[in-house]
């Protein structure tokens, strides 16, 4: 089971899950079952990494370099051309050239 699936399961089961001081903290701890505890022990490091960096992806439409379906930094963004399809501009992705709109 992947860390994201475990996190989803815990939250659906009514738990608050956060990273605090290098640990995975689950509340209310008194409601954890043995199965929950086993999953937490087995996947602690993956859960911690997920909680600390949930999703580094961004969209083109939120980037300062994006204008009318074109990327002003397409080479730095590792794209072959400057044209960006509207559907691609809305998809979350990792982009080394992304800069927030200001």
């Amino acid at each position: 089971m992947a860390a994201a699936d475990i996190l989803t399961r815990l939250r659906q089961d009514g738990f608050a899950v956060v990273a605090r001081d290098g640990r995975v903290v689950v509340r209310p701890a008194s409601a954890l079952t043995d199965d929950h505890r086993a999953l937490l022990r087995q996947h602690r490091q993956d859960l911690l990494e997920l909680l600390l960096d949930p999703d580094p992806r961004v969209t083109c439409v939120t980037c300062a370099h994006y204008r009318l379906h074109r990327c002003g930094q397409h080479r730095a963004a590792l794209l072959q051309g400057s044209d960006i399809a509207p559907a691609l501009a809305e998809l979350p992705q990792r982009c080394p050239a992304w800069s927030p709109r200001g």
Side-chain angles (χ1 to χ4, degrees):
M1 183 178 273
D5 297 326
I6 295 167
L7 187 59
T8 299
R9 177 180 167 191
L10 288 167
R11 289 180 172 159
Q12 286 175 343
D13 289 349
F15 293 99
V17 185
V18 296
R20 186 174 299 134
D21 299 324
R23 299 178 332 171
V24 176
V25 178
V26 182
R27 298 283 185 244
S30 61
L32 287 168
T33 66
D34 290 339
D35 288 340
H36 289 132
R37 291 178 196 281
L39 281 173
L40 288 166
R41 271 192 303 274
Q42 185 178 359
H43 299 280
R44 180 178 51 237
Q45 189 60 40
D46 293 335
L47 285 166
L48 188 58
E49 289 173 12
L50 179 63
L51 290 166
L52 292 174
D53 189 17
D55 190 355
R57 297 177 302 165
V58 295
T59 61
C60 294
V61 295
T62 62
C63 181
H65 306 296
Y66 179 75
R67 298 281 187 274
L68 298 173
H69 311 297
R70 297 182 78 83
C71 177
Q73 292 290 319
H74 66 278
R75 286 186 186 92
L78 307 176
L79 298 172
Q80 291 182 348
S82 63
D83 292 336
I84 306 290
L88 177 63
E90 298 284 339
L91 288 176
Q93 52 198 306
R94 289 169 182 81
C95 178
W98 186 87
S99 179
R101 287 186 182 259

